[in-house]
Amino acid sequence: MRKPLVAGNWKMNKTHLDAIHFVEELGHHLADFDQDRVEVVLVPPFTALRSVQTTTEDRHQEFGLGAQNMHWESDGAFTGEVSPPMLKALRCDYVVLGHSERRELFFETDEIVNRKMKAAFEHGLVPIMCCGETDEEREAGRTQSKVETQVTQGLEGLSNERVAATVVAYEPIWAIGTGKTATPEDAQSTIAHIRYVLRSAHGPEVADAVRILYGGSVKAGNAASLFGQPDIDGGLVGGASLEAGEFAQIVKAAP
Ligand code: 13P
């Protein structure tokens, strides 16, 4: 049985002070919620990781912590970059890799994503590996081949055990920050294809273990119908994760 996971990717939003208020507020909204049911992960910018970590621990909240990106090297002359051991020292559990904004705006390739995937596992971080098609690719009927390539190349060279532990996030690029959401049926169909790709390459046990999230304009109002699909194991939420009340409602929508 896969445990649902709902992660809030704050992108480049919130100072470390905003983050402290957010964690307190979210704790309040989820006070009566059985958190054994759903894994809740906060993915703040680097500058707020420490505040989220300490506030979560001080308040005895069960929120997981994730980073939005990282370099694949452990240290060295890479101005502006953050390494896996630095994230691990902040007690990060997760790292988002290959987000479409990293791919489109910062030219990350599948090869770079693959290097980062390997580095994440080497350092005990669980990657949330993103994939998804552009509007143009969707119109051209290339959704399945696009995600297949991204997933296959991103996971290349990883053991079955590591693949099984990976979290995949299917985020159609045309749905990110646009208010346009994939229909639950379309999201299910692409995510089922991702699971089929995993099954073909790594066998049924691995494919059944991988948690696959949907991302792209998830809101309180559409979360239940998306998360209710058989292959959708939760969400990677952007804009709607910035407000604690709405994010809590999304968490509660997980099956
Ligand atoms: P939105 O929820 O704002 O569409 O963003 C989705 C996303 O990119 C999460 O990583």
Side-chain angles (χ1 to χ4, degrees):
M1 208 30 208
R2 298 182 296 268
K3 186 170 180 174
L5 191 160
V6 177
N9 174 10
W10 295 357
K11 307 193 180 185
M12 198 174 72
N13 293 289
K14 295 192 190 294
T15 65
H16 72 289
L17 298 172
D18 300 331
I20 293 168
H21 293 306
F22 181 94
V23 172
E24 287 172 347
E25 225 190 307
L26 185 64
H28 170 72
H29 284 290
L30 293 176
D32 298 327
F33 180 69
D34 173 14
Q35 269 191 244
D36 285 344
R37 214 157 63 65
V38 185
E39 198 174 338
V40 178
V41 177
L42 301 177
V43 188
F46 292 132
T47 48
L49 282 169
R50 176 76 172 147
S51 302
V52 172
Q53 179 227 328
T54 54
T55 313
T56 299
E57 288 180 6
D58 290 350
R59 303 286 187 279
H60 307 289
Q61 303 290 355
E62 289 173 40
F63 306 144
L65 186 62
Q68 298 176 15
N69 180 33
M70 66 173 197
H71 197 274
W72 58 85
E73 294 287 349
S74 298
D75 47 56
F78 302 101
T79 301
E81 293 292 319
V82 168
S83 78
M86 292 170 184
L87 299 180
K88 202 57 200 170
L90 285 166
R91 296 201 208 136
C92 279
D93 314 287
Y94 292 94
V95 59
V96 173
L97 296 177
H99 191 282
S100 62
E101 286 149 18
R102 301 291 322 164
R103 293 176 188 264
E104 292 209 321
L105 304 172
F106 301 98
F107 315 110
E108 287 197 11
T109 61
D110 288 323
E111 197 219 324
I112 289 175
V113 174
N114 180 248
R115 276 198 219 181
K116 293 183 175 188
M117 291 288 295
K118 289 174 177 159
F121 279 116
E122 288 305 314
H123 293 276
L125 293 158
V126 174
I128 301 177
M129 186 182 80
C130 302
C131 62
E133 82 286 4
T134 62
D135 207 9
E136 205 183 6
E137 287 161 342
R138 178 170 77 125
E139 292 295 325
R142 297 208 305 270
T143 299
Q144 293 198 348
S145 62
K146 173 75 180 291
V147 297
E148 186 164 341
T149 303
Q150 289 179 317
V151 168
T152 307
Q153 295 193 1
L155 296 173
E156 202 186 281
L158 292 181
S159 66
N160 279 351
E161 195 189 338
R162 288 182 171 184
V163 173
T166 298
V167 178
V168 175
Y170 167 57
E171 300 205 310
I173 296 168
W174 50 269
I176 295 178
T178 57
K180 284 194 247 171
T181 317
T183 63
E185 294 73 24
D186 282 350
Q188 161 61 25
S189 147
T190 305
I191 288 177
H193 182 70
I194 294 171
R195 214 177 286 289
Y196 163 79
V197 169
L198 293 169
R199 190 174 300 119
S200 310
H202 303 279
E205 272 181 35
V206 172
D208 287 344
V210 174
R211 287 184 292 179
I212 311 182
L213 314 181
Y214 169 80
S217 298
V218 175
K219 307 256 181 281
N222 60 23
S225 57
L226 287 159
F227 300 167
Q229 298 295 316
D231 281 292
I232 302 184
D233 303 314
L236 183 56
V237 186
S241 75
L242 296 175
E243 204 273 302
E246 176 152 26
F247 187 58
Q249 279 182 267
I250 295 171
V251 169
K252 290 177 184 174

